[in-house]
Amino acid sequence: MEQVREKAYAKVNLGLDVTGRREDGYHLVSMVMQTIGIHDDIVVYKTKDPNISLDIDYGGVHLATPLSAGDDNLCARAARVINERLGIGHGYFIHLTKSIPVAAGMAGGSSDAAAVLRAINRLEDAGLTTEELQELAVKIGADVPYCVVGGTMQAEGIGEKLSPLKSFADVPLLVAKPPEGVSTAEVYHALDEQETICHPDMKAICEAVSNGDVDGLTKHMGNVLMDVTLPKYPVVGKIRDLMLENGALGAMMTGSGPTVFGIYRTAQECQKAAEVVRAGGLCETVMATKTIADITK
Ligand code: ATP
C-alpha cells in the first residue's frame, strides 16, 4: 500500500472549565470534547526521498494568510514524530484539504496531526496501538491525543488525560464562525486577570452527556472562556443570541472561540437556523452538522 486516506474530524467543547495552572504555566482544564461531522481530508503518500512535503487545498475555508506548508505545519510535525519512532528511512508527501475553519476552537490542526499519525501507522503496517499513537500525539499538542480517537470524552490535565463518556451521537448542531481572529493566548491571559470566574458544572455536563440528555446538557453547558471573550468580541454574543432566537436549545462558544455552536432538536430546525444566521451576515462560515461517534467512517 503506497497511499492512505484519513478523515480529520473537527470537535466542539460541550463544556469547558479552567481549573488551575501548572508550575510551567500551562492551564489545567476540564473539557467535554465531542466530534462533529465536519472534516479535513488527508492523503499520505510514501516518497523515495527522505523529506516530508505538504500541499494544502483550501476548498471553502476563508483565510487571510495561508497556513505554512513547511516543517511547522502540524501534519509535517506529526509525520516527523512517527517517522522517528518507527525509524523509517523514506519520506512522505501529504495532501491536505481543509474544510475545518482555522484558529476557530475546533481543533483543526490537532485533528490533522492525529489523522497523519493514524495514516502513517496504517501505511507502514506498523501496528502501533492507540495508546502508543497517543504517546506520540501529546508531543505535538495537548488536544492531539483526543483527536487520535475522537468521539465523546472528558479531557483533563492540559487536555491529554482522557476518560471516554457514553456516545452522544446524531445531535443536530449549527456551527458559525465570525471573521474575527481571537488569540488563544490572549483569552487565557484575560481569564487569569479576571477576579471572579463563573465555573460551569462539569459533573452535570458529563452526566447529561452520558445519559444522552440533550435538555440536561443545554441547561448546564458552559465555557469559562466565553465570559472573557464576550466583552471584547460582542459578535460572539450576537451569534449566540441569533441561534437562541431561532430554535437553539442551547448555544455557546467552542474552545477559545470565536466559533459559536447551537444545539437543535431536529436537523430541519438546524438547517432553518443556518439560513437565518447566514443571512445575518456576521459569519464567514455557517455549517449545519451533527455530533459523530465514529471517526473511522
Ligand atoms: P484548538 O481548538 O485545538 O485550540 P483551533 O481550532 O483554535 O485549535 P487550529 O485551526 O488548529 O486552531 O489552528 C491553530 C494554529 O495552528 C493556526 O493558526 C496555524 O498557524 C497552526 N497550524 C499548523 N498546522 C495546521 C493545520 N494543519 N491546520 C490548521 N492550523 C494549523
Side-chain angles (χ1 to χ4, degrees):
M1 196 179 1
E2 296 304 305
Q3 73 176 65
V4 153
R5 286 171 188 276
E6 277 283 333
K7 288 179 183 165
Y9 280 96
K11 61 85 179 159
V12 293
N13 296 105
L14 300 175
L16 193 159
D17 194 15
V18 177
T19 53
R21 245 182 133 170
R22 277 197 332 202
E23 276 179 9
D24 58 8
Y26 277 97
H27 287 86
L28 295 167
V29 292
S30 173
M31 310 187 282
V32 173
M33 317 285 276
Q34 175 62 56
T35 300
I36 61 168
I38 299 166
H39 61 84
D40 292 345
D41 289 284
I42 282 173
V43 191
V44 183
Y45 303 83
K46 281 188 194 178
T47 57
K48 289 209 177 79
D49 89 74
N51 297 318
I52 289 156
S53 55
L54 180 70
D55 175 48
I56 309 174
D57 179 350
Y58 287 99
V61 170
H62 304 258
L63 264 190
T65 5
L67 290 172
S68 156
D71 285 352
D72 52 341
N73 191 288
L74 294 173
C75 291
R77 282 184 54 196
R80 249 191 343 267
V81 165
I82 188 163
N83 203 329
E84 277 165 18
R85 164 73 165 76
L86 299 177
I88 286 166
H90 64 78
Y92 302 101
F93 170 68
I94 302 168
H95 185 82
L96 165 64
T97 307
K98 289 292 301 178
S99 300
I100 305 173
V102 173
M106 296 170 75
S110 301
S111 191
D112 291 346
V116 168
L117 294 178
R118 293 195 305 269
I120 294 181
N121 193 32
R122 281 172 53 214
L123 191 58
E124 303 295 350
D125 212 2
L128 295 185
T129 63
T130 299
E131 292 70 27
E132 286 169 328
L133 287 179
Q134 287 176 322
E135 276 166 28
L136 298 177
V138 77
K139 297 181 185 177
I140 305 161
D143 283 351
V144 187
Y146 162 72
C147 293
V148 167
V149 282
T152 313
M153 298 254 178
Q154 184 175 19
E156 293 171 297
I158 59 166
E160 86 293 14
K161 289 188 186 141
L162 300 171
S163 320
L165 297 171
K166 246 173 95 184
S167 163
F168 193 67
D170 297 324
V171 177
L173 204 117
L174 180 61
V175 172
K177 181 188 175 291
E180 282 77 357
V182 172
S183 148
T184 303
E186 223 175 79
V187 170
Y188 274 95
H189 182 70
L191 184 77
D192 292 337
E193 301 285 291
Q194 187 114 330
E195 275 179 15
T196 46
I197 296 172
C198 181
H199 294 278
D201 184 346
M202 293 306 297
K203 193 163 167 267
I205 294 170
C206 289
E207 256 171 41
V209 166
S210 292
N211 293 330
D213 174 7
V214 175
D215 292 318
L217 169 64
T218 54
K219 186 169 155 214
H220 292 288
M221 65 198 267
N223 178 347
V224 80
L225 301 178
M226 194 163 77
D227 292 348
V228 294
T229 311
L230 279 177
K232 219 165 163 213
Y233 300 93
V235 67
V236 169
K238 284 184 192 160
I239 301 167
R240 178 200 54 193
D241 295 345
L242 199 54
M243 287 185 182
L244 292 172
E245 286 155 17
N246 286 278
L249 304 171
M252 72 174 193
M253 201 176 80
T254 177
S256 54
T259 307
V260 178
F261 69 95
I263 293 178
Y264 292 80
R265 184 94 51 206
T266 65
Q268 286 87 333
E269 285 174 6
C270 187
Q271 280 291 354
K272 246 172 84 185
E275 283 163 31
V276 178
V277 173
R278 225 170 261 134
L282 298 169
C283 297
E284 61 181 17
T285 312
V286 179
M287 295 190 260
T289 181
K290 62 178 184 172
T291 58
I292 295 275
D294 185 355
I295 62 163
T296 61
K297 286 189 180 151

